[in-house]
Amino acid sequence: MSDINTGYLCLMTRPSEPLFYPKYNSEVFMDLPVHYLPERYQAIAESIKNRLGSVAKHHIVIEPVNVPDLSYATSIPQQGDFNLFSPAHRRAAGQLVADLIAQPDPKTMLSVAAYARDRLNPTMFQYALTIALMHRQDTRTVPIPSFLEMFPTRFVDSSILPQLRQEGFIAEQKERIAVDIPHNFTAAEGEPEQRLAYFREDIGLNLHHWHWHLVYPQEAPLEVVNKDRRGELFYYMHRQVVARYNVERFCHFLPTTTPLKNLREPIPEAYFPKILNSALNRTYPGRATNQVMSHVNRPGDDAVATILELETSLGRIKEAIHSKFALSADGQRIPLDEHTGIDVLGNIVENSILSVNLQHYGNYHSLLHSMIGFIHDPDNLYLESHGVLGDFPTAMRDPVFYRLHAQVDELFDQHKQKLAPYNDSELAFPGVAITNVSVQITSGKSAKNRLLTFWQRSQVDLGAGLDFGPQGNVIATFTHIQHAPFAYQILVYNETNQEKKGTVRIFLAPIDGVDGDQFLLAQQRRYMIELDKFVVKLHPGENRVIRKSDHSSVTVPYDRTFGRVDVSSMQGAERFQFCKCGWPDHMLLPKGSPEGRKFDLFVMVSDYEQDKVETGVLDDGKCNDSHSYCGLQDQMYPDRRAMGFPFDRLPTPNDHMIRDFSSRFSNMNRTVVEVVFTNTVIART
């Protein structure tokens, strides 16, 4: 690995520890110009170099360069909180991304970043540096540690940190044992929402949310933000999150999460996170039951608003949906049509810089996060920071996250309901018939159409995030949901005498809700979980398509989510950081139930000629394994159809049930599968 790549790794290791402090078992020393050091250490720079640099085997010399004026970024206190739901904080981070990307080469950017690192807020710096590394063509092979490695306290119970440090300091590397992270520790079993803690508080799930927003930042240079169908991806990724959460609720005999339609009503859900905000070295504040939003007046956090402002923004967004057009800043009517309407609407609701009219439509989604995030101290009387809902890497832990996004999804669905149902020519694939669909666990003997979930104990290395902590690996063990690997078998008959190309689309949906009544398709479509999407070649006659679950277009494998990135493990390696964006593989399936929860498995083969786009290639052999939620790097989204097709729109009146819909088209098939949960814990091998 080059000195430049190693230097960037040092920038991202132990982010609250000074950069000059030796990294990686004291083997690497960043040799900085004296004026690059924080002012406190400039007077003793020679002593630091003699004492700390002498023990390091490898010195990385940073040459001084002309550093841009970073005063805009120092407005966010170095030891304060950084909040991406704050427009001012987003602007500062976006400008820092722009300044880093503007550097002529990786070496110069490394020097600028080395100067900035110990002067700026650590969370903002790591956020901006990661985006810059991911989006520059000449730095994409730099290995980027996950946010878990940098700031582990935001993901695990802070009570284990003393144990981790003790184990690391006392025991030699080969003698260390793993420290156990408590499973489901935030509430007692008497709290019904606690049944879903394994989902909301899953480390991989929260890493997914953080990493998605790294790939799709709201504010940065236009070439970074303006990705193909970005607004639609915001809609679809969060729609899938809400659908998956509601399906998990059904598995626990809980009703769907209630959208936050009335912002003036008390919020019955309480949440006390019990994790540490590493920026402040204080726990995230909790929220008591039945708290009420009214306003937020915290100028220092760039959060000043009333409920009326939120309601005004919401009203204007609804007006655009019902009129089928949005107003641009110069008064132009932007159609919310079937082709680009959802993309325009997604950027408006999220309030990215791609919004067609920031002033008119406001900052609805982000401001709602902030207002609930500060509900415990809206006027800053008690000097409390935001709750977990006000922070990207922690927001999905809170039950209200799903109520908030259920309400946002209602907005998007109002738009979708105004579109005409798909016609037969859009749905059919003449000459192609799916004759049979089944699914089976790939290890051992098992019945067809029966899938298995269970608990798994896995390990993660948290040593890189323990500032001034022990050197080397410090391992923690955590428990998470997992499924047995499985494979689909799809029999497709090509009735023509020519080879055809199709897109296989696989969805899973609950058959009924907690009341036991079977869903109509108009209801069920909102709970459709996308499991996979891939391209197949169909030769004339019968085709037997086998697809393994770990090849899903939705998920990223365990190692990409949790594997540690450091100098020793990444020698000579090249990794596309974009590929870390994706749903965690261990959460591909819903939990099911001990008795076996039944689901509809829907498979469709659509005509690739209607699906293909010019530069989005599903089978390019590179970073394509989680494109459903994340798209492809530097390419168009690899599917011309609407995300969620064919279930993003209402069905025709004749398609009452999914069996009515699938039976009308030979290129569709449906079968019933069962997901059985076994309450056992299996260690990852």
Side-chain angles (χ1 to χ4, degrees), residues 99-113:
D99 282 339
L100 292 172
I101 288 180
Q103 301 311 309
D105 52 64
K107 185 177 181 181
T108 306
M109 187 173 91
L110 176 64
S111 183
V112 171

Side-chain angles (χ1 to χ4, degrees), residues 8-23:
Y8 280 120
L9 272 176
C10 289
L11 286 173
M12 294 179 281
T13 298
R14 302 193 170 188
S16 297
E17 195 177 87
L19 183 57
F20 60 75
Y21 202 78
K23 304 292 189 288

Side-chain angles (χ1 to χ4, degrees), residues 130-199:
T130 299
I131 292 175
L133 290 170
M134 289 169 61
H135 289 87
R136 283 182 67 117
Q137 293 287 345
D138 53 9
T139 57
R140 287 186 177 173
T141 60
V142 175
I144 300 176
S146 76
F147 206 65
L148 171 65
E149 290 185 64
M150 298 187 212
F151 301 103
T153 63
R154 300 191 186 195
F155 297 90
V156 303
D157 183 359
S158 57
S159 67
I160 73 163
L161 299 182
Q163 299 175 58
L164 289 170
R165 288 193 169 92
Q166 180 178 330
E167 186 66 30
F169 276 122
I170 294 177
E172 295 288 339
Q173 180 69 67
K174 61 182 179 180
E175 299 171 337
R176 293 176 187 171
I177 61 174
V179 174
D180 189 56
I181 299 174
H183 184 43
N184 292 357
F185 53 82
T186 51
E189 292 183 4
E191 166 55 53
E193 295 297 328
Q194 181 64 12
R195 300 179 205 171
L196 275 296
Y198 71 92
F199 182 95

Side-chain angles (χ1 to χ4, degrees), residues 229 232 416 422 505 639-645 648:
R229 296 170 69 174
E232 186 176 6
K416 288 289 185 176
Y422 289 110
R505 303 168 188 273
D639 185 5
R640 189 187 300 171
R641 311 277 193 163
M643 296 175 197
F645 171 84
D648 61 302

Side-chain angles (χ1 to χ4, degrees), residues 346-465:
N347 286 318
I348 287 174
V349 171
E350 192 198 8
N351 182 243
S352 76
I353 61 170
L354 302 181
S355 172
V356 297
N357 196 334
L358 290 166
Q359 282 296 116
H360 183 67
Y361 293 110
N363 184 24
Y364 180 72
H365 163 259
S366 295
L367 192 54
L368 186 53
H369 266 274
S370 286
M371 193 167 283
I372 302 175
F374 287 120
I375 197 170
H376 54 282
D377 190 13
D379 299 299
N380 203 24
L381 290 176
Y382 304 102
L383 307 180
E384 285 289 326
S385 181
H386 56 70
V388 293
L389 200 66
D391 208 355
F392 276 8
T394 59
M396 293 185 75
R397 302 173 69 92
D398 192 328
V400 174
F401 174 91
Y402 304 91
R403 294 193 60 200
L404 185 159
H405 276 281
Q407 193 271 335
V408 168
D409 193 61
E410 288 284 333
L411 290 176
F412 291 130
D413 206 60
Q414 288 176 25
H415 161 70
K416 288 289 185 176
Q417 290 181 34
K418 289 189 170 293
L419 304 178
Y422 289 110
N423 59 45
D424 288 4
S425 65
E426 293 172 301
L427 295 167
F429 192 0
V432 171
I434 301 179
T435 58
N436 187 264
V437 169
S438 64
V439 65
Q440 192 165 14
I441 293 174
T442 54
S443 57
K445 293 182 179 180
S446 61
K448 282 189 176 182
N449 296 334
R450 180 175 293 172
L451 302 175
L452 180 67
T453 63
F454 48 88
W455 299 120
Q456 185 168 70
R457 287 172 64 81
S458 298
Q459 294 185 334
V460 64
D461 186 355
L462 300 181

Side-chain angles (χ1 to χ4, degrees), residues 613-635:
V613 295
E614 293 179 5
T615 62
V617 184
L618 282 179
D619 52 355
D620 64 354
K622 294 182 181 178
C623 180
N624 62 12
D625 56 352
S626 58
H627 70 268
S628 288
Y629 294 179
C630 297
L632 297 180
Q633 193 170 31
D634 298 331
Q635 298 188 65

Side-chain angles (χ1 to χ4, degrees), residues 65-121:
V65 298
N66 291 325
V67 177
D69 180 8
L70 300 176
S71 57
Y72 62 86
T74 58
S75 62
I76 302 169
Q78 186 176 5
Q79 303 304 322
D81 208 4
F82 171 66
N83 176 10
L84 278 166
F85 291 113
S86 159
H89 289 201
R90 286 203 304 270
R91 285 192 295 272
Q95 182 58 51
L96 183 57
V97 172
D99 282 339
L100 292 172
I101 288 180
Q103 301 311 309
D105 52 64
K107 185 177 181 181
T108 306
M109 187 173 91
L110 176 64
S111 183
V112 171
Y115 177 85
R117 181 187 186 272
D118 294 342
R119 288 171 167 79
L120 304 182
N121 181 279

